[in-house]
Every structure is written in C-alpha cells, then in structure tokens.
Amino acid sequence: MNTHILRSVVRGVGAYLPERVLTNADLAKTVDTTDEWIQQRTGIRQRHIAAPGETTSQLATKAAQAALANAGLTGADIDLIIVATSTPDYTFPAVATQVQANLGVQHGVAFDLQAVCSGFVFATTTADKFLTSGSHKRVLVIGAETFSRILDWEDRTTCVLFGDGAGAVVLEAQESDGTLTSPGIITSQLRSDGRHRAKLYVDGGPSTTQTVGHLRMEGKEVFRHAVGMVTDVVKACFADAGVTAADIDWFVPHQANRRIIDASAEKLGLALEKVVKTVELHGNTSAASIPLALSVACKDGRIKKGDLVMIEAMGGGFTWGASLIRW
Ligand code: ACO
C-alpha cells in the first residue's frame, strides 16, 4: 500500500461570466444564420461577450477571487498561479502575472499555458506535477478567454460557436494514502499532434503577420477527430486507475458542441444524466469551459465531496487530454 504520497486536492471552484448575453436571435440579425440551425448543430442558445475594455485578466481575476472565497482562502495562501488562455490581454506579459498583481500576491510564481481548448486540462495536469513534487503547496488553476476578440464576425461557420468567460480551481497538496477513494487527482493523460495545425488555427500572430488574427476552422474535420481523441484519453485514464464508466459520478467535458459531448459519452458508455452540459448557455469558451461547468455543477449541488469526476478536452494543435479527480 502507498503511504504518505502527495495528492492535488480540490479546495475550491469559482467562475465569472461577462454581463452581456448574445443570443442566437441576436446573431441572426448580423450574419446569415438561424437559432434553429445553431441549436440543432451545436446545442448552443446563447453566449456571454466581454464588454469593450473588459480583458481576459479581468475575467480571470474575478474567477480566481470566487474560487478563493469558495475555498475559504486568500491570495496569501497561493504559491502558484497558472492561467490557461489563447486570448491574452497582450502578447506579453502573461495574464497570470496580471492576476497575481490583481490579487495582491507578491510571492510565488505565475505563468500562462497555451493549449487552446485543452488548456484547462493541461494546466491542471501541470499544477498536479508541481504539487505532487512537493515544490508548491496551493495552486490557482484558471481558464480564461475572450474568444470574441479573435472571431471573424462575418464568418457564420465560426462566430456562432464561441463565447467569453473564466473559471478557476484551487488545488492543494495533501498527504494521501494514494487509494482510489481518497481525494485528489488520480491520473491524467495529455496528448498532442501538430500535424493537424491547419484544421483549427488563428491566422495571425506576432511572428507572422504582426496582427492578432482570426480563428479559422474546418469544423467537419475537427468534429471527425474529436470523439475518437477524447474517448482514447478517457479510456487511458480508466485503465490507469482501474475504473470503468460505471464508477464515474460526473463527466465534465470541454463544452464545444452538444453533439461531440453526447457522442463521446455514448461511446464511453456513460449515462447521459452523469454528463454536465453548459454549452447551451455559455457556448464554447475554450480553456474556460471546464472550470465554468465545474463551478455550475458544484454550485447546484450535483458534484459533491467524494464524487469521481472525469474532465476531458480537445482543441487546436491538435491537443487533447483527460483527468480523473476524486472530489
Ligand atoms: N448558420 C446557418 N448555416 C450555416 C452556418 C450557420 N451559422 N454555418 C455553416 N452553415 C451552413 C454551411 O455553409 C453549409 O451549407 P451548404 O451545405 O450550403 O454548404 C451547411 O450549413 C452545413 O455546414 P457543415 O459545416 O457541413 O455543418 P456541420 O453539420 O458540419 O456543422 C459545425 C458545423 C457545427 C461547425 C460542426 O462541424 C462542428 O461542430 N464541428 C466541430 C467544431 C467545433 O466544435 N469546434 C470547436 C473548437 S475545437 C474544440 O473545441 C473541440
């Protein structure tokens, strides 16, 4: 039996959504689309859009404050901040250092991580390595995005899919007996394959165009790969932890598209009532979608202490990954 190992245990969860709601009907006034098309193909009914001047670091800070309050902690208790984002305020410095300053934290370290829609799973897994190595005690893992700023609002094939928002989780290193029933991150799987770059990318950047650019996507191609990739990493987590779909209490996938979520759950043999879905109200908020969904499901009482939770995502790169967490 493993004794005295360290586990990364969830202490708190929080989220923030910008005030402005953009409905499908609102979008139909500016691009050639309909509420029916968007709902049928994606499940999305509305998304939140950041106000002019409202930045990713501001959304991230509000989500971080909510997570700290939920944990009963303050910035003084945090020694690592990781922000997963593809829509930073500036090319540099990192959003994470701005959040650090906004929280009044002057110790420890803060950095950004970019894995597009998989960013939160990558950041959680990275945080887990820091915590279980014993080098850090408490981490704020934040997913924060203002995708509205990189959308081509004349391209109906992409602009209807995304929204803005932020979510955060506080993870704490705790002594553990390392068993499946003990709290914390049990296992994670991360993958990437850069050959898929052209299927989902932004057509600008500092080193190419010196502009921010717009999101471009071959939607059908992304869809074709998504289900296989996410179910692979989820099954790898099952195998590593010695669990089956029946053991999972809550499946909290990246919220890109209802059809991808449902197809993945079905392929994994997960009952639909165990699936947390927020895509209808938030759209695809990229790295923010999982912590936003976790926050909703914790607040409404679905996810409780002791539950076994699987998070997974797939995104640009391609990148993809999953983590199994005992709440
Ligand atoms: N409103 C109305 N019609 C539209 C719209 C729109 N917003 N967008 C496209 N159409 C039209 C197309 O022009 C096409 O018309 P045509 O047949 O006359 O050429 C028709 O609808 C069908 O288009 P498809 O692209 O074949 O539609 P599809 O059923 O594949 O759905 C979608 C498109 C929703 C993008 C789908 O492919 C998808 O969900 N892909 C996954 C992409 C995704 O979720 N990416 C998120 C980022 S990656 C991630 O987070 C995993």
Side-chain angles (χ1 to χ4, degrees), residues 152-284:
D152 174 352
W153 286 99
E154 291 178 1
D155 175 10
R156 68 176 183 172
T157 69
T158 53
C159 77
V160 303
L161 302 174
F162 296 89
D164 300 335
V169 166
V170 179
L171 293 174
E172 179 178 88
Q174 289 183 9
E175 294 271 333
S176 171
D177 62 8
T179 58
L180 183 63
T181 50
S182 298
I185 296 176
I186 292 163
T187 186
S188 299
Q189 298 282 333
L190 301 183
R191 306 270 169 79
S192 62
D193 186 344
R195 290 174 300 171
H196 298 287
R197 187 195 77 89
K199 298 184 181 83
L200 180 51
Y201 67 104
V202 170
D203 63 4
S207 176
T208 49
T209 58
Q210 297 83 57
T211 62
V212 171
H214 290 120
L215 181 147
R216 304 293 174 202
M217 179 173 69
E218 294 173 30
K220 261 198 189 341
E221 279 297 300
V222 176
F223 197 110
R224 201 166 67 77
H225 285 86
V227 177
M229 286 175 163
V230 300
T231 52
D232 272 359
V233 283
V234 168
K235 282 180 186 163
C237 286
F238 284 170
D240 193 43
V243 301
T244 68
D247 298 309
I248 302 298
D249 294 300
W250 297 107
F251 181 56
V252 188
H254 168 49
Q255 308 284 320
N257 180 307
R258 187 187 59 213
R259 289 189 297 155
I260 296 176
I261 294 172
D262 290 349
S264 304
E266 192 183 336
K267 195 167 171 196
L268 290 163
L270 281 159
L272 281 181
E273 59 269 21
K274 292 181 172 181
V275 182
V276 175
K277 261 185 272 188
T278 51
V279 65
E280 183 185 346
L281 299 178
H282 300 169
N284 180 350

Side-chain angles (χ1 to χ4, degrees), residues 105-170:
V105 178
Q106 288 165 31
H107 60 274
V109 63
F111 60 86
D112 286 1
L113 186 154
Q114 204 264 59
V116 204
C117 299
S118 311
F120 185 76
V121 179
F122 277 53
T124 299
T125 306
T126 303
D128 185 41
K129 307 288 182 199
F130 276 83
L131 292 174
T132 55
S133 77
S135 69
H136 290 73
K137 179 72 183 153
R138 285 188 208 90
V139 188
L140 258 172
V141 185
I142 306 168
E145 303 279 17
T146 47
F147 258 53
S148 63
R149 306 272 158 72
I150 56 164
L151 296 175
D152 174 352
W153 286 99
E154 291 178 1
D155 175 10
R156 68 176 183 172
T157 69
T158 53
C159 77
V160 303
L161 302 174
F162 296 89
D164 300 335
V169 166
V170 179

